Amino acid sequence: MEEIPRVFLLDPEVLLATRSAVYDGDEALQAADERLLQEADQALYAAPVSVVDKEALPPSGDPRDYMSQAPYWWPEAEGEQSGTYVWRDGEVNPEAEVYDRGRLGLMCSALSSLAPAYFFSDLEHFAEHAGLLLRTWFLDETTAMNPHLEYGQAIPSRCTGQGTGIIDTHGFSWLVEMVGLLGASSAWNEDDQSGLQAWFGAYLDWLLTSDHGREEAGQNNQHGTWYDVQVASLALFAGRDEVANEICTQSFPRRLAAQIEADGRQPLELVRTRSLDYCLMNLTALFDLADLGRRVDIDLWAHEDAEGRSIRRAFYWLVEQAVDDKWGFEQATPFAHGQMMPLLRRGGLRFDDAKCEERIAAMEHIEVAADRTNLLYPARSRP
């Protein structure tokens, strides 16, 4: 009997069925599998990175403390190296790329190709490199990140870190899914697994008890939603289901009330200069919370409050406005419509709506058949 992957956002039984279909040569999955393998081959060239690789030390003097600079803050005067910084929504200051955020993104990106490629192929060299990346960032005593984000999204002349910096690690909820896909590999052993669970248990404690964590938990926009996703996901990974249960029962209704109107629009994201990107990000986080709720037997997909707010209404409002090209709000940068495919697939599956597949099929500038969504969230006609 095959080992059931320990995942929380993804469906383990669906993953196993899709894996069998790939092995049986299902032609409908061939393009996605081939592209995934190609991307994993490229990820093999990703060198192991660590927080100790940054050139500047954080205020603590400990290179193992993660540090980043808030990306939308710029010197008030052109060419100014210090002094007053001002916020420019949606405009990334290149100064923000010199610390740890970029390396964290590279590690997570490589892992998101290597782990599923191993799972769907059994090729151990993918798991071996994934294990090396994970151990370097989280477990090696000389290179491992300390489990906190005290110095996340610092603003020169203003603060050495802030609660909004926790958005830097929103990818951790997906990272632990990728770890679950490595479970059958000899390259990821019990000591690795227990060590990583301990690391994320400590990071979870910091999220729940620190001033920065409490600050981010209080945010009403997508920052607060992604905070909840991190807490619920990492709680499940660390074996603390009661924490995930509390997020789903107590925090989720507050998110809906603060973020979603009765018609489905997301007013806090619509005021951003890249409003479509931010609406998509926040709704993706709400989808993730609903999938995590399934792991603690709470149905957030069907949840609707007394005013009619629900994920379903938010989904269909966004689909009608974005996919059908009716977007009438500020979007300062071009929007990559291919980002909508995972959301459309997930919405179609959860709301039993075949029209979502018609919308996916009609998408331009994307190779639908080669998208890895077909492997991770296969259409209902698939296994």
Side-chain angles (χ1 to χ4, degrees):
M1 182 177 179
E2 289 187 296
E3 180 173 335
I4 298 175
R6 188 172 183 263
V7 292
F8 312 103
L9 288 168
L10 298 167
D11 188 317
E13 299 295 343
V14 169
L15 286 173
L16 287 174
T18 305
R19 183 177 183 274
S20 295
V22 169
Y23 268 81
D24 290 341
D26 190 323
E27 292 183 0
L29 299 173
Q30 183 177 353
D33 185 52
E34 289 178 353
R35 176 178 288 182
L36 175 61
L37 291 173
Q38 291 169 1
E39 292 172 347
D41 281 336
Q42 290 299 310
L44 290 171
Y45 292 98
V49 291
S50 161
V51 289
V52 303
D53 295 337
K54 58 181 171 289
E55 296 180 5
L57 287 175
S60 64
D62 187 345
R64 290 176 54 192
D65 285 342
Y66 177 95
M67 184 177 182
S68 67
Q69 183 170 317
Y72 298 158
W73 286 83
W74 292 72
E76 186 173 32
E78 187 71 26
E80 187 179 341
Q81 299 301 311
S82 62
T84 304
Y85 272 61
V86 295
W87 191 56
R88 300 184 192 170
D89 188 23
E91 299 180 41
V92 176
N93 182 349
E95 291 178 18
E97 302 304 318
V98 302
Y99 296 104
D100 293 319
R101 187 167 175 247
R103 278 181 289 273
L104 174 61
L106 289 173
M107 185 271 293
C108 289
S109 178
L111 193 69
S112 71
S113 292
L114 292 166
Y118 161 72
F119 179 81
F120 289 111
S121 72
D122 279 339
L123 294 174
E124 282 287 336
H125 60 286
F126 292 137
E128 289 168 3
H129 197 61
L132 174 63
L133 298 181
L134 287 166
R135 283 188 289 272
T136 302
W137 190 276
F138 293 105
L139 300 179
D140 188 289
E141 62 182 15
T142 61
T143 62
M145 171 184 166
N146 290 323
H148 67 78
L149 227 63
E150 288 292 333
Y151 308 113
Q153 295 205 7
I155 303 172
S157 78
R158 285 176 173 263
C159 64
T160 59
Q162 55 181 330
T164 55
I166 292 171
I167 198 71
D168 285 8
T169 57
H170 79 278
F172 280 173
S173 59
W174 191 247
L175 182 145
V176 297
E177 295 292 292
M178 299 301 97
V179 172
L181 299 183
L182 300 174
S185 173
S186 59
W188 187 252
N189 60 41
E190 291 183 6
D191 288 341
D192 294 327
Q193 182 70 22
S194 61
L196 195 62
Q197 286 183 222
W199 194 98
F200 276 113
Y203 185 61
L204 175 63
D205 286 336
W206 181 84
L207 287 174
L208 293 171
T209 62
S210 68
D211 289 342
H212 285 347
R214 287 191 288 267
E215 177 188 340
E216 192 75 338
Q219 298 296 315
N220 283 330
N221 63 1
Q222 56 110 15
H223 274 264
T225 319
W226 281 114
Y227 170 87
D228 282 354
V229 173
Q230 282 195 67
V231 168
S233 176
L234 302 185
L236 291 169
F237 182 73
R240 294 164 61 178
D241 291 15
E242 72 284 355
V243 176
N245 185 289
E246 183 175 353
I247 289 291
C248 293
T249 57
Q250 303 299 318
S251 185
F252 180 84
R254 294 198 302 270
R255 299 293 176 213
L256 278 188
Q259 297 173 352
I260 308 298
E261 296 294 323
D263 66 354
R265 70 180 61 214
Q266 301 177 54
L268 297 177
E269 311 307 331
L270 289 173
V271 298
R272 303 298 298 270
T273 60
R274 295 167 53 227
S275 58
L276 181 48
D277 283 296
Y278 278 93
C279 283
L280 175 62
M281 284 190 284
N282 189 52
L283 187 55
T284 297
L286 290 170
F287 271 33
D288 285 355
L289 280 177
D291 273 340
L292 294 170
R294 287 154 57 93
R295 304 301 165 219
V296 288
D297 298 321
I298 298 172
D299 186 2
L300 300 179
W301 287 103
H303 179 90
E304 182 175 310
D305 70 12
E307 285 72 37
R309 301 182 185 93
S310 67
I311 294 179
R312 183 188 185 99
R313 291 198 179 183
F315 171 69
Y316 282 107
W317 186 90
L318 188 62
V319 167
E320 290 169 4
Q321 300 297 318
V323 180
D324 297 342
D325 292 325
K326 298 178 182 177
W327 198 252
F329 306 89
E330 186 174 3
Q331 177 62 30
T333 58
F335 179 76
H337 281 78
Q339 298 177 88
M340 291 293 296
M341 181 175 170
L343 197 78
L344 282 167
R345 175 63 55 74
R346 295 171 74 183
L349 291 170
R350 295 294 178 245
F351 303 130
D352 195 22
D353 185 353
K355 290 184 178 179
C356 289
E357 287 303 309
E358 295 175 11
R359 283 187 162 100
I360 290 173
M363 293 180 75
E364 298 179 354
H365 312 302
I366 176 177
E367 295 180 63
V368 171
D371 196 289
R372 72 176 63 177
T373 301
N374 296 304
L375 298 170
L376 301 176
Y377 298 101
R380 186 144 293 151
S381 58
R382 300 262 42 89

